[in-house]
Amino acid sequence: MPPFVRLLVLLPALALVLGGCAAAPRPAQGPVAGELTGVPFFPQRRYQCGPAALATVLVDAGVDTDPERLVPRVWLPGRRGSLQLELRAATRRAGRVPWELPADVDALARALEAGRPVLVLQNLGTAWWPLWHYAVVVGLDERRVVLRSGERARRIERREAFLESWARADHWSLVVLDGDRLPEDADRGRWLEAASLVERAGHPDVAARAYGAWLARHPADRGARFGLASTAHASGRLAEAAAAYERLLATDPDDPAVLNNLALVRADQGCVAAARALLDRALAATGDPALRETLEASRNELEPRASGRPCNAEP
């Protein structure tokens, strides 16, 4: 068959494939059971909707912000888009805990049932020609998914079509938490790390709530109690921090990390001699070179504090 004849034969078949997508029936527009109708909406055409989608879940979580304020924090001009790393970091800077969900639709359903809208990444193109897009899932049933998406406050997608576009983006999704409640899939390592990261971002109060939420279920967890003591110190509640570290030493008197942190609290209370004694005790208890280096650095920090002001530690 001549080449031009083969082309004429192939064109109708191609039209059928393309037309099949265009002619797919639109899902019913009626309400979806459990849809989170109170979630805000920020229309946005630019920036692949990253700032708008993040603003949606942040404002729903009680943060005073909007897409324009988020653009400098999450939009990367060189990539013409927003990476997940920037979205997580911006969430922490806003005083909230970013939590990535497991890669399955049941996790989306559980989050929605808990009243949490879910920020998702979709690939609306193909694996070899991706078209990245951020949206927020606010409703889900057996046939449909409801999204805050682009310029649509209530975009309805067929469940199968949504799941395909989500799968092409590696099923990435995120909820924004205030730290008061544990997510449905919380595990110790990830949750304590999430609390620590939001503390480093300058929000010890949020981190304290996160540690406290874990301790409510696991009251004997030493790592969470250490974190809670650290947040008290960072917030300037020195007596509370010292008492928390002392309780940890009651069960492990030679824990060098606890001794180090308690020494820094005592130094902030003006008790430099007591701080030195704690660090000497920690140095005697460990042979780990890296830990000894940290302890020596803490001891060097004490010298400028030796001003002779009275120790104001509570008995």
Side-chain angles (χ1 to χ4, degrees), residues 7-290:
L7 180 61
L8 290 175
V9 171
L10 288 172
L11 282 175
L14 181 59
L16 284 174
V17 173
L18 297 177
C21 294
R26 296 187 66 184
Q29 300 294 307
V32 170
E35 181 179 339
L36 304 178
T37 57
V39 174
F41 171 61
F42 296 97
Q44 190 174 83
R45 176 180 294 174
R46 302 169 63 197
Y47 309 117
Q48 281 79 30
C49 300
L54 183 60
T56 298
V57 291
L58 284 175
V59 171
D60 187 75
V63 177
D64 179 17
T65 191
D66 58 54
E68 295 308 312
R69 279 184 274 177
L70 292 172
V71 167
R73 297 186 175 187
V74 303
W75 171 253
L76 302 177
R79 290 181 175 265
R80 297 189 59 79
S82 303
L83 297 180
Q84 293 96 316
L85 178 66
E86 276 69 35
L87 298 180
R88 291 192 297 266
T91 299
R92 295 186 194 104
R93 285 195 296 269
R96 293 296 182 268
V97 180
W99 188 256
E100 294 185 20
L101 298 180
D104 65 79
V105 70
D106 290 339
L108 296 185
R110 288 192 298 270
L112 293 171
E113 288 170 4
R116 300 181 178 117
V118 184
L119 194 162
V120 296
L121 178 63
Q122 296 173 276
N123 178 0
L124 303 179
T126 65
W128 51 271
W129 194 280
L131 180 59
W132 305 113
H133 177 71
Y134 288 105
V136 177
V137 179
V138 297
L140 174 71
D141 66 15
E142 293 181 356
R143 297 182 299 118
R144 302 166 297 171
V145 177
V146 187
L147 302 161
R148 302 279 188 268
S149 178
E151 297 183 291
R152 302 276 294 279
R154 191 171 183 270
R155 177 179 174 83
I156 311 287
E157 293 187 8
R158 288 185 297 108
R159 180 182 173 117
E160 293 79 5
F162 166 79
L163 292 178
E164 289 172 4
S165 67
W166 188 41
R168 289 193 294 270
D170 294 326
H171 296 102
W172 187 82
S173 62
L174 179 84
V175 292
V176 170
L177 310 172
D178 60 10
D180 285 333
R181 290 187 298 155
L182 294 178
E184 292 67 30
D185 61 327
D187 64 85
R188 182 184 186 276
R190 285 183 65 211
W191 185 251
L192 295 189
E193 181 185 21
S196 175
L197 289 172
V198 79
E199 179 182 359
R200 291 182 212 171
H203 296 281
D205 53 335
V206 179
R209 294 201 298 266
Y211 289 126
W214 185 261
L215 285 168
R217 291 191 190 176
H218 309 278
D221 192 294
R222 189 173 178 85
R225 291 207 171 277
F226 185 91
L228 206 55
S230 174
T231 59
H233 188 189
S235 299
R237 303 192 307 274
L238 301 181
E240 181 183 332
Y245 286 128
E246 293 284 8
R247 284 193 293 272
L248 287 168
L249 288 177
T251 56
D252 187 355
D254 294 324
D255 186 323
V258 176
L259 288 167
N260 177 79
N261 285 21
L262 178 57
L264 297 178
V265 173
R266 291 302 186 204
D268 285 341
Q269 291 176 312
C271 309
V272 177
R276 285 199 191 100
L278 288 164
L279 289 171
D280 289 343
R281 184 171 147 194
L283 284 163
T286 182
D288 181 275

